[in-house]
PDB file of all heavy atoms in Angstrom:
ATOM      1  N   VAL L  83      33.537 -45.621 -44.663  1.00 98.00           N
ATOM      2  CA  VAL L  83      34.282 -46.879 -44.517  1.00 98.00           C
ATOM      3  C   VAL L  83      35.070 -47.262 -45.776  1.00 98.00           C
ATOM      4  O   VAL L  83      35.824 -48.222 -45.742  1.00 98.00           O
ATOM      5  CB  VAL L  83      33.296 -48.036 -44.177  1.00 98.00           C
ATOM      6  CG1 VAL L  83      32.424 -47.727 -42.962  1.00 98.00           C
ATOM      7  CG2 VAL L  83      32.410 -48.419 -45.382  1.00 98.00           C
ATOM      8  N   LYS L  84      34.943 -46.463 -46.792  1.00 98.00           N
ATOM      9  CA  LYS L  84      35.630 -46.771 -48.024  1.00 98.00           C
ATOM     10  C   LYS L  84      37.145 -46.827 -47.800  1.00 98.00           C
ATOM     11  O   LYS L  84      37.709 -45.938 -47.196  1.00 98.00           O
ATOM     12  CB  LYS L  84      35.264 -45.716 -49.109  1.00 98.00           C
ATOM     13  CG  LYS L  84      35.576 -46.136 -50.525  1.00 98.00           C
ATOM     14  CD  LYS L  84      35.022 -45.097 -51.468  1.00 98.00           C
ATOM     15  CE  LYS L  84      33.519 -45.011 -51.446  1.00 98.00           C
ATOM     16  NZ  LYS L  84      32.952 -44.060 -52.448  1.00 98.00           N
ATOM     17  N   GLY L  85      37.781 -47.860 -48.316  1.00 97.00           N
ATOM     18  CA  GLY L  85      39.219 -48.046 -48.134  1.00 97.00           C
ATOM     19  C   GLY L  85      39.584 -48.757 -46.915  1.00 97.00           C
ATOM     20  O   GLY L  85      40.733 -49.203 -46.743  1.00 97.00           O
ATOM     21  N   ARG L  86      38.651 -48.963 -45.966  1.00 98.00           N
ATOM     22  CA  ARG L  86      38.887 -49.676 -44.728  1.00 98.00           C
ATOM     23  C   ARG L  86      38.144 -50.981 -44.629  1.00 98.00           C
ATOM     24  O   ARG L  86      38.604 -51.945 -44.064  1.00 98.00           O
ATOM     25  CB  ARG L  86      38.533 -48.840 -43.535  1.00 98.00           C
ATOM     26  CG  ARG L  86      39.325 -47.526 -43.432  1.00 98.00           C
ATOM     27  CD  ARG L  86      39.028 -46.791 -42.128  1.00 98.00           C
ATOM     28  NE  ARG L  86      37.640 -46.402 -41.972  1.00 98.00           N
ATOM     29  CZ  ARG L  86      36.863 -46.764 -40.938  1.00 98.00           C
ATOM     30  NH1 ARG L  86      37.344 -47.580 -40.004  1.00 98.00           N
ATOM     31  NH2 ARG L  86      35.603 -46.366 -40.874  1.00 98.00           N
ATOM     32  N   PHE L  87      36.926 -50.992 -45.171  1.00 98.00           N
ATOM     33  CA  PHE L  87      36.040 -52.183 -45.137  1.00 98.00           C
ATOM     34  C   PHE L  87      35.955 -52.821 -46.516  1.00 98.00           C
ATOM     35  O   PHE L  87      36.011 -52.118 -47.535  1.00 98.00           O
ATOM     36  CB  PHE L  87      34.636 -51.822 -44.697  1.00 98.00           C
ATOM     37  CG  PHE L  87      34.513 -51.376 -43.250  1.00 98.00           C
ATOM     38  CD1 PHE L  87      35.604 -51.113 -42.464  1.00 98.00           C
ATOM     39  CD2 PHE L  87      33.258 -51.210 -42.676  1.00 98.00           C
ATOM     40  CE1 PHE L  87      35.488 -50.693 -41.141  1.00 98.00           C
ATOM     41  CE2 PHE L  87      33.090 -50.788 -41.358  1.00 98.00           C
ATOM     42  CZ  PHE L  87      34.207 -50.564 -40.590  1.00 98.00           C
ATOM     43  N   THR L  88      35.807 -54.132 -46.564  1.00 98.00           N
ATOM     44  CA  THR L  88      35.606 -54.876 -47.770  1.00 98.00           C
ATOM     45  C   THR L  88      34.507 -55.884 -47.614  1.00 98.00           C
ATOM     46  O   THR L  88      34.509 -56.705 -46.678  1.00 98.00           O
ATOM     47  CB  THR L  88      36.891 -55.627 -48.171  1.00 98.00           C
ATOM     48  OG1 THR L  88      37.992 -54.703 -48.308  1.00 98.00           O
ATOM     49  CG2 THR L  88      36.697 -56.357 -49.477  1.00 98.00           C
ATOM     50  N   ILE L  89      33.525 -55.794 -48.505  1.00 98.00           N
ATOM     51  CA  ILE L  89      32.422 -56.784 -48.491  1.00 98.00           C
ATOM     52  C   ILE L  89      32.685 -57.803 -49.599  1.00 98.00           C
ATOM     53  O   ILE L  89      33.247 -57.523 -50.649  1.00 98.00           O
ATOM     54  CB  ILE L  89      31.066 -56.067 -48.782  1.00 98.00           C
ATOM     55  CG1 ILE L  89      29.902 -57.041 -48.593  1.00 98.00           C
ATOM     56  CG2 ILE L  89      31.027 -55.415 -50.144  1.00 98.00           C
ATOM     57  CD1 ILE L  89      28.556 -56.370 -48.602  1.00 98.00           C
ATOM     58  N   SER L  90      32.361 -59.048 -49.265  1.00 97.00           N
ATOM     59  CA  SER L  90      32.529 -60.135 -50.198  1.00 97.00           C
ATOM     60  C   SER L  90      31.478 -61.195 -49.878  1.00 97.00           C
ATOM     61  O   SER L  90      30.819 -61.156 -48.878  1.00 97.00           O
ATOM     62  CB  SER L  90      33.956 -60.730 -50.099  1.00 97.00           C
ATOM     63  OG  SER L  90      34.149 -61.269 -48.790  1.00 97.00           O
ATOM     64  N   ARG L  91      31.371 -62.169 -50.832  1.00 95.00           N
ATOM     65  CA  ARG L  91      30.389 -63.212 -50.606  1.00 95.00           C
ATOM     66  C   ARG L  91      30.877 -64.504 -51.204  1.00 95.00           C
ATOM     67  O   ARG L  91      31.649 -64.503 -52.163  1.00 95.00           O
ATOM     68  CB  ARG L  91      29.030 -62.794 -51.187  1.00 95.00           C
ATOM     69  CG  ARG L  91      28.994 -62.698 -52.719  1.00 95.00           C
ATOM     70  CD  ARG L  91      27.650 -62.083 -53.162  1.00 95.00           C
ATOM     71  NE  ARG L  91      26.549 -62.914 -52.886  1.00 95.00           N
ATOM     72  CZ  ARG L  91      25.276 -62.482 -52.930  1.00 95.00           C
ATOM     73  NH1 ARG L  91      24.997 -61.206 -53.274  1.00 95.00           N
ATOM     74  NH2 ARG L  91      24.267 -63.305 -52.675  1.00 95.00           N
ATOM     75  N   ASP L  92      30.400 -65.596 -50.617  1.00 94.00           N
ATOM     76  CA  ASP L  92      30.666 -66.935 -51.145  1.00 94.00           C
ATOM     77  C   ASP L  92      29.290 -67.587 -51.253  1.00 94.00           C
ATOM     78  O   ASP L  92      28.718 -68.106 -50.292  1.00 94.00           O
ATOM     79  CB  ASP L  92      31.559 -67.694 -50.143  1.00 94.00           C
ATOM     80  CG  ASP L  92      31.942 -69.062 -50.682  1.00 94.00           C
ATOM     81  OD1 ASP L  92      31.236 -69.621 -51.544  1.00 94.00           O
ATOM     82  OD2 ASP L  92      32.934 -69.618 -50.178  1.00 94.00           O
ATOM     83  N   ASN L  93      28.769 -67.619 -52.460  1.00 90.00           N
ATOM     84  CA  ASN L  93      27.437 -68.163 -52.715  1.00 90.00           C
ATOM     85  C   ASN L  93      27.361 -69.653 -52.455  1.00 90.00           C
ATOM     86  O   ASN L  93      26.308 -70.183 -52.061  1.00 90.00           O
ATOM     87  CB  ASN L  93      26.947 -67.817 -54.113  1.00 90.00           C
ATOM     88  CG  ASN L  93      26.658 -66.361 -54.294  1.00 90.00           C
ATOM     89  OD1 ASN L  93      26.334 -65.629 -53.342  1.00 90.00           O
ATOM     90  ND2 ASN L  93      26.801 -65.870 -55.504  1.00 90.00           N
ATOM     91  N   ALA L  94      28.456 -70.346 -52.606  1.00 90.00           N
ATOM     92  CA  ALA L  94      28.497 -71.811 -52.368  1.00 90.00           C
ATOM     93  C   ALA L  94      28.258 -72.060 -50.861  1.00 90.00           C
ATOM     94  O   ALA L  94      27.742 -73.123 -50.496  1.00 90.00           O
ATOM     95  CB  ALA L  94      29.803 -72.397 -52.818  1.00 90.00           C
ATOM     96  N   LYS L  95      28.681 -71.130 -50.035  1.00 91.00           N
ATOM     97  CA  LYS L  95      28.571 -71.256 -48.593  1.00 91.00           C
ATOM     98  C   LYS L  95      27.402 -70.464 -48.032  1.00 91.00           C
ATOM     99  O   LYS L  95      27.217 -70.372 -46.818  1.00 91.00           O
ATOM    100  CB  LYS L  95      29.867 -70.832 -47.899  1.00 91.00           C
ATOM    101  CG  LYS L  95      31.070 -71.710 -48.222  1.00 91.00           C
ATOM    102  CD  LYS L  95      32.297 -71.252 -47.432  1.00 91.00           C
ATOM    103  CE  LYS L  95      33.472 -72.148 -47.746  1.00 91.00           C
ATOM    104  NZ  LYS L  95      34.689 -71.779 -46.991  1.00 91.00           N
ATOM    105  N   ASN L  96      26.677 -69.800 -48.901  1.00 90.00           N
ATOM    106  CA  ASN L  96      25.549 -68.957 -48.476  1.00 90.00           C
ATOM    107  C   ASN L  96      26.004 -67.940 -47.418  1.00 90.00           C
ATOM    108  O   ASN L  96      25.289 -67.717 -46.430  1.00 90.00           O
ATOM    109  CB  ASN L  96      24.402 -69.797 -47.889  1.00 90.00           C
ATOM    110  CG  ASN L  96      23.578 -70.441 -49.010  1.00 90.00           C
ATOM    111  OD1 ASN L  96      23.882 -70.325 -50.202  1.00 90.00           O
ATOM    112  ND2 ASN L  96      22.530 -71.170 -48.617  1.00 90.00           N
ATOM    113  N   THR L  97      27.108 -67.303 -47.642  1.00 93.00           N
ATOM    114  CA  THR L  97      27.681 -66.443 -46.629  1.00 93.00           C
ATOM    115  C   THR L  97      28.232 -65.172 -47.263  1.00 93.00           C
ATOM    116  O   THR L  97      28.791 -65.184 -48.327  1.00 93.00           O
ATOM    117  CB  THR L  97      28.865 -67.152 -45.874  1.00 93.00           C
ATOM    118  OG1 THR L  97      28.332 -68.330 -45.279  1.00 93.00           O
ATOM    119  CG2 THR L  97      29.442 -66.250 -44.793  1.00 93.00           C
ATOM    120  N   VAL L  98      28.026 -64.075 -46.578  1.00 96.00           N
ATOM    121  CA  VAL L  98      28.562 -62.796 -46.983  1.00 96.00           C
ATOM    122  C   VAL L  98      29.454 -62.308 -45.806  1.00 96.00           C
ATOM    123  O   VAL L  98      29.165 -62.591 -44.634  1.00 96.00           O
ATOM    124  CB  VAL L  98      27.445 -61.779 -47.301  1.00 96.00           C
ATOM    125  CG1 VAL L  98      26.601 -61.423 -46.080  1.00 96.00           C
ATOM    126  CG2 VAL L  98      28.039 -60.485 -47.864  1.00 96.00           C
ATOM    127  N   TYR L  99      30.525 -61.623 -46.161  1.00 98.00           N
ATOM    128  CA  TYR L  99      31.505 -61.188 -45.169  1.00 98.00           C
ATOM    129  C   TYR L  99      31.675 -59.659 -45.214  1.00 98.00           C
ATOM    130  O   TYR L  99      31.428 -59.024 -46.243  1.00 98.00           O
ATOM    131  CB  TYR L  99      32.857 -61.851 -45.499  1.00 98.00           C
ATOM    132  CG  TYR L  99      32.827 -63.333 -45.587  1.00 98.00           C
ATOM    133  CD1 TYR L  99      32.730 -63.988 -46.805  1.00 98.00           C
ATOM    134  CD2 TYR L  99      32.877 -64.113 -44.423  1.00 98.00           C
ATOM    135  CE1 TYR L  99      32.636 -65.363 -46.891  1.00 98.00           C
ATOM    136  CE2 TYR L  99      32.830 -65.505 -44.505  1.00 98.00           C
ATOM    137  CZ  TYR L  99      32.733 -66.127 -45.762  1.00 98.00           C
ATOM    138  OH  TYR L  99      32.674 -67.503 -45.829  1.00 98.00           O
ATOM    139  N   LEU L 100      32.133 -59.163 -44.084  1.00 98.00           N
ATOM    140  CA  LEU L 100      32.547 -57.745 -44.013  1.00 98.00           C
ATOM    141  C   LEU L 100      33.863 -57.694 -43.300  1.00 98.00           C
ATOM    142  O   LEU L 100      33.946 -57.903 -42.083  1.00 98.00           O
ATOM    143  CB  LEU L 100      31.500 -56.897 -43.354  1.00 98.00           C
ATOM    144  CG  LEU L 100      31.818 -55.392 -43.327  1.00 98.00           C
ATOM    145  CD1 LEU L 100      31.714 -54.810 -44.772  1.00 98.00           C
ATOM    146  CD2 LEU L 100      30.869 -54.614 -42.401  1.00 98.00           C
ATOM    147  N   GLN L 101      34.937 -57.507 -44.030  1.00 98.00           N
ATOM    148  CA  GLN L 101      36.264 -57.346 -43.434  1.00 98.00           C
ATOM    149  C   GLN L 101      36.457 -55.889 -43.060  1.00 98.00           C
ATOM    150  O   GLN L 101      36.350 -55.014 -43.907  1.00 98.00           O
ATOM    151  CB  GLN L 101      37.359 -57.797 -44.431  1.00 98.00           C
ATOM    152  CG  GLN L 101      38.785 -57.585 -43.901  1.00 98.00           C
ATOM    153  CD  GLN L 101      39.108 -58.519 -42.763  1.00 98.00           C
ATOM    154  OE1 GLN L 101      38.745 -59.731 -42.788  1.00 98.00           O
ATOM    155  NE2 GLN L 101      39.735 -58.000 -41.686  1.00 98.00           N
ATOM    156  N   MET L 102      36.695 -55.678 -41.780  1.00 98.00           N
ATOM    157  CA  MET L 102      36.818 -54.304 -41.267  1.00 98.00           C
ATOM    158  C   MET L 102      38.225 -54.109 -40.703  1.00 98.00           C
ATOM    159  O   MET L 102      38.618 -54.755 -39.761  1.00 98.00           O
ATOM    160  CB  MET L 102      35.772 -54.068 -40.173  1.00 98.00           C
ATOM    161  CG  MET L 102      34.344 -54.373 -40.618  1.00 98.00           C
ATOM    162  SD  MET L 102      33.094 -53.917 -39.380  1.00 98.00           S
ATOM    163  CE  MET L 102      33.570 -55.013 -38.044  1.00 98.00           C
ATOM    164  N   ASN L 103      38.965 -53.201 -41.371  1.00 98.00           N
ATOM    165  CA  ASN L 103      40.313 -52.875 -40.942  1.00 98.00           C
ATOM    166  C   ASN L 103      40.401 -51.438 -40.490  1.00 98.00           C
ATOM    167  O   ASN L 103      39.522 -50.636 -40.766  1.00 98.00           O
ATOM    168  CB  ASN L 103      41.283 -53.053 -42.144  1.00 98.00           C
ATOM    169  CG  ASN L 103      41.319 -54.533 -42.629  1.00 98.00           C
ATOM    170  OD1 ASN L 103      41.149 -55.489 -41.856  1.00 98.00           O
ATOM    171  ND2 ASN L 103      41.546 -54.698 -43.903  1.00 98.00           N
ATOM    172  N   SER L 104      41.450 -51.104 -39.793  1.00 98.00           N
ATOM    173  CA  SER L 104      41.717 -49.749 -39.315  1.00 98.00           C
ATOM    174  C   SER L 104      40.458 -49.209 -38.575  1.00 98.00           C
ATOM    175  O   SER L 104      40.027 -48.093 -38.855  1.00 98.00           O
ATOM    176  CB  SER L 104      42.081 -48.821 -40.482  1.00 98.00           C
ATOM    177  OG  SER L 104      43.206 -49.289 -41.156  1.00 98.00           O
ATOM    178  N   LEU L 105      39.946 -49.959 -37.706  1.00 98.00           N
ATOM    179  CA  LEU L 105      38.696 -49.621 -37.031  1.00 98.00           C
ATOM    180  C   LEU L 105      38.881 -48.357 -36.127  1.00 98.00           C
ATOM    181  O   LEU L 105      39.966 -48.164 -35.563  1.00 98.00           O
ATOM    182  CB  LEU L 105      38.178 -50.813 -36.207  1.00 98.00           C
ATOM    183  CG  LEU L 105      37.496 -51.865 -37.034  1.00 98.00           C
ATOM    184  CD1 LEU L 105      37.424 -53.214 -36.237  1.00 98.00           C
ATOM    185  CD2 LEU L 105      36.113 -51.457 -37.408  1.00 98.00           C
ATOM    186  N   LYS L 106      37.837 -47.604 -36.067  1.00 98.00           N
ATOM    187  CA  LYS L 106      37.808 -46.376 -35.301  1.00 98.00           C
ATOM    188  C   LYS L 106      36.686 -46.462 -34.235  1.00 98.00           C
ATOM    189  O   LYS L 106      35.706 -47.187 -34.454  1.00 98.00           O
ATOM    190  CB  LYS L 106      37.526 -45.202 -36.199  1.00 98.00           C
ATOM    191  CG  LYS L 106      38.482 -45.067 -37.390  1.00 98.00           C
ATOM    192  CD  LYS L 106      38.032 -43.917 -38.314  1.00 98.00           C
ATOM    193  CE  LYS L 106      39.017 -43.785 -39.480  1.00 98.00           C
ATOM    194  NZ  LYS L 106      38.590 -42.689 -40.397  1.00 98.00           N
ATOM    195  N   PRO L 107      36.821 -45.712 -33.170  1.00 97.00           N
ATOM    196  CA  PRO L 107      35.731 -45.725 -32.168  1.00 97.00           C
ATOM    197  C   PRO L 107      34.351 -45.395 -32.783  1.00 97.00           C
ATOM    198  O   PRO L 107      33.359 -45.918 -32.300  1.00 97.00           O
ATOM    199  CB  PRO L 107      36.208 -44.630 -31.169  1.00 97.00           C
ATOM    200  CG  PRO L 107      37.687 -44.687 -31.252  1.00 97.00           C
ATOM    201  CD  PRO L 107      37.967 -44.932 -32.729  1.00 97.00           C
ATOM    202  N   GLU L 108      34.342 -44.540 -33.785  1.00 97.00           N
ATOM    203  CA  GLU L 108      33.071 -44.203 -34.391  1.00 97.00           C
ATOM    204  C   GLU L 108      32.486 -45.308 -35.225  1.00 97.00           C
ATOM    205  O   GLU L 108      31.320 -45.180 -35.701  1.00 97.00           O
ATOM    206  CB  GLU L 108      33.222 -42.905 -35.287  1.00 97.00           C
ATOM    207  CG  GLU L 108      34.327 -42.969 -36.267  1.00 97.00           C
ATOM    208  CD  GLU L 108      35.603 -42.272 -35.736  1.00 97.00           C
ATOM    209  OE1 GLU L 108      35.967 -42.491 -34.560  1.00 97.00           O
ATOM    210  OE2 GLU L 108      36.214 -41.534 -36.523  1.00 97.00           O
ATOM    211  N   ASP L 109      33.177 -46.414 -35.418  1.00 98.00           N
ATOM    212  CA  ASP L 109      32.597 -47.605 -36.060  1.00 98.00           C
ATOM    213  C   ASP L 109      31.781 -48.452 -35.044  1.00 98.00           C
ATOM    214  O   ASP L 109      31.133 -49.423 -35.473  1.00 98.00           O
ATOM    215  CB  ASP L 109      33.718 -48.456 -36.637  1.00 98.00           C
ATOM    216  CG  ASP L 109      34.453 -47.776 -37.787  1.00 98.00           C
ATOM    217  OD1 ASP L 109      33.790 -47.162 -38.611  1.00 98.00           O
ATOM    218  OD2 ASP L 109      35.671 -47.909 -37.821  1.00 98.00           O
ATOM    219  N   THR L 110      31.811 -48.076 -33.765  1.00 98.00           N
ATOM    220  CA  THR L 110      31.034 -48.826 -32.791  1.00 98.00           C
ATOM    221  C   THR L 110      29.564 -48.781 -33.068  1.00 98.00           C
ATOM    222  O   THR L 110      28.973 -47.692 -33.241  1.00 98.00           O
ATOM    223  CB  THR L 110      31.319 -48.254 -31.390  1.00 98.00           C
ATOM    224  OG1 THR L 110      32.694 -48.454 -31.060  1.00 98.00           O
ATOM    225  CG2 THR L 110      30.444 -48.929 -30.365  1.00 98.00           C
ATOM    226  N   ALA L 111      28.961 -49.959 -33.196  1.00 98.00           N
ATOM    227  CA  ALA L 111      27.505 -50.046 -33.514  1.00 98.00           C
ATOM    228  C   ALA L 111      27.093 -51.500 -33.542  1.00 98.00           C
ATOM    229  O   ALA L 111      27.978 -52.397 -33.475  1.00 98.00           O
ATOM    230  CB  ALA L 111      27.274 -49.440 -34.914  1.00 98.00           C
ATOM    231  N   VAL L 112      25.831 -51.715 -33.644  1.00 98.00           N
ATOM    232  CA  VAL L 112      25.325 -53.057 -33.963  1.00 98.00           C
ATOM    233  C   VAL L 112      25.256 -53.165 -35.501  1.00 98.00           C
ATOM    234  O   VAL L 112      24.745 -52.254 -36.188  1.00 98.00           O
ATOM    235  CB  VAL L 112      23.909 -53.285 -33.387  1.00 98.00           C
ATOM    236  CG1 VAL L 112      23.401 -54.676 -33.830  1.00 98.00           C
ATOM    237  CG2 VAL L 112      23.951 -53.178 -31.897  1.00 98.00           C
ATOM    238  N   TYR L 113      25.887 -54.187 -36.025  1.00 98.00           N
ATOM    239  CA  TYR L 113      25.985 -54.413 -37.457  1.00 98.00           C
ATOM    240  C   TYR L 113      24.982 -55.466 -37.893  1.00 98.00           C
ATOM    241  O   TYR L 113      24.886 -56.536 -37.306  1.00 98.00           O
ATOM    242  CB  TYR L 113      27.390 -54.810 -37.878  1.00 98.00           C
ATOM    243  CG  TYR L 113      28.372 -53.681 -37.873  1.00 98.00           C
ATOM    244  CD1 TYR L 113      28.760 -53.067 -36.677  1.00 98.00           C
ATOM    245  CD2 TYR L 113      28.852 -53.160 -39.067  1.00 98.00           C
ATOM    246  CE1 TYR L 113      29.646 -51.993 -36.665  1.00 98.00           C
ATOM    247  CE2 TYR L 113      29.739 -52.066 -39.081  1.00 98.00           C
ATOM    248  CZ  TYR L 113      30.135 -51.519 -37.872  1.00 98.00           C
ATOM    249  OH  TYR L 113      30.983 -50.441 -37.874  1.00 98.00           O
ATOM    250  N   TYR L 114      24.219 -55.129 -38.940  1.00 98.00           N
ATOM    251  CA  TYR L 114      23.183 -55.996 -39.446  1.00 98.00           C
ATOM    252  C   TYR L 114      23.501 -56.369 -40.906  1.00 98.00           C
ATOM    253  O   TYR L 114      23.910 -55.486 -41.679  1.00 98.00           O
ATOM    254  CB  TYR L 114      21.797 -55.304 -39.436  1.00 98.00           C
ATOM    255  CG  TYR L 114      21.340 -54.875 -38.052  1.00 98.00           C
ATOM    256  CD1 TYR L 114      21.662 -53.683 -37.518  1.00 98.00           C
ATOM    257  CD2 TYR L 114      20.554 -55.728 -37.296  1.00 98.00           C
ATOM    258  CE1 TYR L 114      21.205 -53.244 -36.286  1.00 98.00           C
ATOM    259  CE2 TYR L 114      20.103 -55.377 -36.039  1.00 98.00           C
ATOM    260  CZ  TYR L 114      20.423 -54.141 -35.543  1.00 98.00           C
ATOM    261  OH  TYR L 114      19.948 -53.732 -34.313  1.00 98.00           O
ATOM    262  N   CYS L 115      23.231 -57.619 -41.287  1.00 97.00           N
ATOM    263  CA  CYS L 115      23.272 -57.923 -42.665  1.00 97.00           C
ATOM    264  C   CYS L 115      21.819 -58.030 -43.194  1.00 97.00           C
ATOM    265  O   CYS L 115      20.903 -58.274 -42.413  1.00 97.00           O
ATOM    266  CB  CYS L 115      24.044 -59.214 -42.967  1.00 97.00           C
ATOM    267  SG  CYS L 115      23.251 -60.715 -42.529  1.00 97.00           S
ATOM    268  N   ALA L 116      21.670 -57.803 -44.455  1.00 96.00           N
ATOM    269  CA  ALA L 116      20.367 -57.808 -45.049  1.00 96.00           C
ATOM    270  C   ALA L 116      20.400 -58.394 -46.445  1.00 96.00           C
ATOM    271  O   ALA L 116      21.461 -58.293 -47.113  1.00 96.00           O
ATOM    272  CB  ALA L 116      19.803 -56.375 -45.109  1.00 96.00           C
ATOM    273  N   ALA L 117      19.315 -58.958 -46.886  1.00 94.00           N
ATOM    274  CA  ALA L 117      19.205 -59.543 -48.215  1.00 94.00           C
ATOM    275  C   ALA L 117      18.068 -58.873 -48.968  1.00 94.00           C
ATOM    276  O   ALA L 117      16.971 -58.694 -48.396  1.00 94.00           O
ATOM    277  CB  ALA L 117      18.976 -61.057 -48.126  1.00 94.00           C
TER     278      ALA L 117
END
Side-chain angles (χ1 to χ4, degrees):
V83 307
K84 197 173 295 183
R86 300 188 297 123
F87 291 11
T88 303
I89 188 171
S90 61
R91 67 190 295 165
D92 184 338
N93 290 332
K95 295 182 178 179
N96 282 3
T97 302
V98 64
Y99 304 97
L100 186 68
Q101 177 67 44
M102 306 186 295
N103 299 328
S104 302
L105 283 160
K106 305 175 181 180
E108 51 264 44
D109 294 318
T110 295
V112 177
Y113 282 70
Y114 299 89
C115 74

